Amino acid sequence: MIHVYADREGQKYRLLAQGHADDSVSDGALVCAAVSALTGALLQFARSRECCRFLRASMAHGHIFFSCRGGLKNAFEMTVAALSALAQQYPRHICVMGADKTGAVCPSGKTAEMR
């Protein structure tokens, strides 16, 4: 299960995605690839913007985190909307919490924690 936590507070944007979809099911690999593409693209976009200040980021297999101030409103909202659409279509593989989903709990009962 991929747990995504997306948060915005004023001009501060944070996103954390952890875990993997169950790749023993055919659509699990698709969900992992989609999450990687969406979050990776958002991180690259943040890195390319001078208005995205105080960028902190880390990427590893099954983990992406970033935080920055400014310059991401539309890109961040689009990414969260796309991740939320994935969660609606593939609830066995991904859940999205935070942003407009404050307090949401994944089917497994686990919640992502921002570091």
Side-chain angles (χ1 to χ4, degrees):
M1 168 79 64
I2 300 170
H3 298 86
V4 177
Y5 181 81
D7 180 51
R8 64 178 173 262
E9 184 177 312
Q11 288 292 306
K12 185 174 183 177
Y13 301 92
R14 297 183 300 173
L15 186 131
L16 169 67
Q18 296 185 127
H20 291 283
D22 181 1
D23 62 1
S24 66
V25 180
S26 63
D27 52 10
L30 173 78
V31 173
C32 273
V35 171
S36 294
L38 289 165
T39 57
L42 182 62
L43 178 56
Q44 289 302 99
F45 183 79
R47 286 179 172 157
S48 72
R49 299 289 168 219
E50 290 180 17
C51 56
C52 185
R53 302 173 315 278
F54 308 111
L55 179 63
R56 293 182 322 146
S58 63
M59 289 179 64
H61 189 68
H63 168 90
I64 185 168
F65 168 79
F66 84 85
S67 173
C68 82
R69 291 191 181 273
L72 285 185
K73 183 180 188 302
N74 293 334
F76 183 84
E77 289 177 0
M78 187 209 62
T79 301
V80 172
L83 291 168
S84 296
L86 274 174
Q88 288 177 357
Q89 189 170 357
Y90 300 102
R92 291 179 39 214
H93 297 298
I94 178 176
C95 66
V96 178
M97 300 161 281
D100 296 322
K101 303 184 176 350
T102 305
V105 177
C106 297
S108 64
K110 296 181 181 178
T111 58
E113 293 182 18
M114 194 65 65
R115 294 181 187 189

